[in-house]
Amino acid sequence: MKIDHIGIAVRNLDEAVKFYKEVLGLELVKIEEVPEERVRVAMFRVGESYIELLQGTDPESAITKFIEKRGEGIHHISIHVDDVDAKTEELKAKGVAVIYEKPREVAHGERKINFIHPKSTFGVLLEIMTRRGGY
Ligand code: CMX
């Protein structure tokens, strides 16, 4: 396992991208919409891992709701696993509160993701995921 990325919830993606790219000087890998999760995201490479900036695309987005309740900031930590289906089943068998019964395919099948509820992880939303290629 390794940390794939850290997700940061932002109100205005374009403004946040400017800061991370132009002020911090991080390498912007891509900006994409992930309709399955109602977000628009920007990925920045940081060594072997990434920082993902996320803006909600509608009021029902988990990101929009998170910002309403808790403000901008770290939203989740994403851990890459070999097999997200197997990991989901293993966690369910251990009584862990996973968000999706079965992992969800996003980005045209490029990635498969699930989440563990913060109540199981001492207050941090953890994503578990498998991805085929790079971002
Ligand atoms: N990190 C830490 N704690 C969080 C949290 C987060 N990201 N989001 C919610 N919480 C806390 C709330 O503050 C609240 O705590 P208290 O009970 O102490 O007030 C508690 O969790 C609320 O839990 P809830 O009522 O079950 O759920 P919410 O309606 O707040 O939704 C969650 C939280 C995690 C279930 C929901 O956001 C979810 O299903 N997330 C998974 C999908 C997602 O986040 N998609 C966006 C990212 C997609 C991507 O990476 O591409």
Side-chain angles (χ1 to χ4, degrees), residues 96-120:
V96 175
V98 292
I99 302 283
Y100 304 137
E101 196 51 32
K102 298 271 177 213
R104 225 178 226 192
E105 285 201 347
V106 299
H108 312 289
E110 280 294 301
R111 303 192 290 281
K112 218 171 184 185
I113 63 173
N114 205 344
F115 291 88
I116 308 173
H117 196 285
K119 76 183 176 200
S120 280

Side-chain angles (χ1 to χ4, degrees), residues 5 7 9 32 34 36-41 52 54 61-66 69-70 73-78 99-100 104 106 111 113-119 121-127:
H5 64 265
E32 72 176 350
V34 185
E36 303 89 337
E37 291 290 331
R38 300 164 186 252
V39 291
R40 199 158 77 88
V41 308
E52 176 183 48
L54 307 104
S61 162
I63 298 300
T64 313
K65 289 183 180 166
F66 175 86
K69 274 196 211 160
R70 300 166 61 115
I74 293 184
H75 175 261
H76 66 268
I77 294 177
S78 177
I99 302 283
Y100 304 137
R104 225 178 226 192
V106 299
R111 303 192 290 281
I113 63 173
N114 205 344
F115 291 88
I116 308 173
H117 196 285
K119 76 183 176 200
T121 57
F122 302 84
V124 178
L125 178 61
L126 279 186
E127 181 180 46

Side-chain angles (χ1 to χ4, degrees), residues 5 27-30 41-45 50-52 135:
H5 64 265
E27 179 193 350
L28 175 62
V29 181
K30 75 162 148 187
V41 308
M43 302 301 301
F44 290 87
R45 198 190 316 276
Y50 295 81
I51 285 181
E52 176 183 48
Y135 283 108

